[in-house]
Amino acid sequence: MQLEYKNKKIQRVCEDQKTAIRRHGIEIASLLQVRLEQLKAYASVEDMVKAGVGGIHALSGNRQGQYAMHLKHPHRLILIKALSPGTIRIIEITDYH
């Protein structure tokens, strides 16, 4: 899949390792890079959900339409399907629990 980002701030965290470490720590920054590579390797979110890659799962309630991937507990990488086919939008890294 292709990646796009909600805003420049999340793009900087995802594309610049030093920024990711400064904002989220070394463990989350390292796992974030793994998750982004996993996203790029699959054709669709549905394929990833079927394979259980990175603990990806659909969210519900006020986060309907969003997906979460595990980082360091309890943090998650939150994403949505973008309008372009084969594209995913990274929207945040958060602890929504």
Side-chain angles (χ1 to χ4, degrees):
M1 285 182 284
Q2 300 236 348
L3 303 179
E4 55 182 52
Y5 303 93
K6 178 181 176 183
N7 55 41
K8 293 286 185 186
K9 181 179 174 182
I10 191 68
Q11 182 176 3
R12 201 171 314 116
V13 169
C14 291
E15 293 180 350
D16 181 40
Q17 186 74 1
K18 288 182 182 180
T19 302
I21 291 169
R22 189 170 51 252
R23 294 219 177 133
H24 300 286
I26 188 80
E27 290 179 82
I28 290 176
S30 296
L31 263 173
L32 176 61
Q33 293 309 307
V34 171
R35 298 298 180 238
L36 294 173
E37 290 303 316
Q38 290 171 331
L39 286 167
K40 291 175 188 175
Y42 277 79
S44 71
V45 174
E46 292 79 11
D47 290 344
M48 292 183 74
V49 171
K50 286 178 190 173
V53 175
I56 192 168
H57 56 282
L59 299 176
S60 59
N62 65 345
R63 288 190 174 268
Q64 185 76 31
Q66 297 179 0
Y67 295 85
M69 292 184 81
H70 295 175
L71 295 172
K72 181 181 176 200
H73 184 73
H75 295 87
R76 303 290 189 260
L77 176 64
I78 310 298
L79 47 106
I80 58 173
K81 293 181 191 177
L83 296 177
S84 305
T87 304
I88 204 80
R89 176 173 285 179
I90 307 296
I91 57 173
E92 67 181 323
I93 296 168
T94 190
D95 170 10
Y96 60 78
H97 297 98

